Amino acid sequence: MKPFKIPKEEKEALISDLQGQLENDHGIEMGNLAVEQLIDYMAQQLYAPIYNQAVEDAGKLLMERMGAMEDDLYAMKIMRKSRR
């Protein structure tokens, strides 16, 4: 599996947002490096469960769509007319 990496621009926005959140809600001031390390840690911890949930959701959606396609194919069948 490919290592998880947050694009630079997104990471910078996350750092700024988290710094503001921590300061406003909890009175905690953290520098950019500390917040970046926290984000990296949390991203690595959350990567597998979020990825696995996404794979599970995609599998469920695929099965639903396959079921709908199966119904459509059945509806397309030509039924033999009886002679009566």
Side-chain angles (χ1 to χ4, degrees):
M1 190 177 331
K2 211 169 152 181
F4 179 69
K5 184 169 167 54
I6 300 170
K8 183 180 178 179
E9 298 81 21
E10 288 183 37
K11 187 178 259 188
E12 289 171 356
L14 283 170
I15 290 169
S16 178
D17 289 348
L18 185 54
Q19 281 176 317
Q21 181 80 20
L22 289 170
E23 191 170 336
N24 291 336
D25 291 354
H26 305 287
I28 299 171
E29 289 187 34
M30 292 177 74
N32 285 5
L33 182 59
V35 172
E36 183 176 2
Q37 289 173 338
L38 178 60
I39 289 170
D40 288 342
Y41 172 77
M42 294 304 298
Q44 292 307 317
Q45 294 299 311
L46 294 171
Y47 178 73
I50 290 171
Y51 178 86
N52 290 340
Q53 184 64 50
V55 168
E56 189 174 315
D57 292 347
K60 287 178 185 176
L61 181 61
L62 180 62
M63 295 306 290
E64 288 174 14
R65 292 207 174 155
M66 286 177 60
M69 284 177 58
E70 193 173 1
D71 292 344
D72 291 344
L73 286 172
Y74 180 79
M76 291 170 59
K77 285 186 175 182
I78 298 173
M79 298 297 174
R80 192 174 86 166
K81 294 182 182 179
S82 65
R83 292 186 175 191
R84 292 184 192 187

